[in-house]
């Protein structure tokens, strides 16, 4: 079997739909503290950097896919879920339930103002081979 280069070489961004761009910008930039790399309210979107993936927050009705909140969480890496959770709680973020421990990672579930699912995530055990 010959090996050929992969057609897909990475993930550039994930789309996060919103009905209120101003509220989303305030949440992702001010509450979560993510750097805003693009802000184009006239075109209905803003982009936020997480370190390895861009969150592209879009006024979904302006794009051909419509508005449907993401129900499966985007896992945002943190070094300490409890510390990050406490800080975000102080900023008004409401978490769903207690921090979940899978045996290899900790997860803290919450949502943005549009109901898009998000998660604080920290893997504390090595990946199984």
């Amino acid at each position: 079997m010959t090996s050929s280069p992969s057609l897909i070489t990475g993930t550039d961004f994930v789309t996060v739909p919103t009905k209120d761009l101003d509220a989303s910008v305030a949440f992702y930039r001010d509450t979560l503290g993510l750097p805003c790399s693009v802000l184009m309210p006239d075109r209905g979107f803003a982009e936020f950097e997480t370190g390895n993936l861009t969150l592209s927050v879009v006024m979904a009705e302006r794009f051909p896919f419509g508005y449907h909140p993401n129900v499966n969480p985007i896992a945002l890496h943190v070094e300490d879920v409890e510390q990050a959770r406490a800080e975000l709680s102080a900023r008004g973020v409401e978490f769903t339930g207690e921090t979940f421990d899978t045996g290899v990672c900790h997860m803290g579930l919450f949502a943005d103002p549009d109901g898009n699912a998000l998660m604080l995530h920290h893997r504390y055990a090595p990946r199984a081979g």
Side-chain angles (χ1 to χ4, degrees), residues 41-55:
D42 56 315
R43 299 200 47 205
F45 74 97
E47 293 185 345
F48 301 89
E49 303 306 322
T50 68
N52 63 339
L53 181 68
T54 299
L55 301 180

Side-chain angles (χ1 to χ4, degrees), residues 9-93:
T9 61
T11 303
D12 292 329
F13 65 89
V14 294
T15 303
V16 180
T18 186
K19 290 185 175 184
D20 184 340
L21 188 61
D22 291 336
S24 288
V25 167
F27 180 78
Y28 285 94
R29 182 188 61 205
D30 304 333
T31 304
L32 296 186
L34 296 175
C36 182
S37 57
V38 175
L39 179 56
M40 300 188 85
D42 56 315
R43 299 200 47 205
F45 74 97
E47 293 185 345
F48 301 89
E49 303 306 322
T50 68
N52 63 339
L53 181 68
T54 299
L55 301 180
S56 183
V57 178
V58 303
M59 295 289 295
E61 71 273 359
R62 293 191 183 184
F63 293 83
F65 39 80
Y67 176 79
H68 307 282
N70 295 326
V71 296
N72 294 304
I74 297 170
L76 303 171
H77 175 77
V78 295
E79 288 302 317
D80 183 326
V81 170
E82 288 306 319
Q83 183 273 330
R85 183 179 173 134
E87 190 168 325
L88 291 179
S89 290
R91 295 180 193 174
V93 173

Side-chain angles (χ1 to χ4, degrees), residues 89-109:
S89 290
R91 295 180 193 174
V93 173
E94 294 183 21
F95 285 83
T96 304
E98 298 300 316
T99 297
F100 184 65
D101 185 343
T102 68
V104 296
C105 63
H106 293 132
M107 296 184 250
L109 301 170

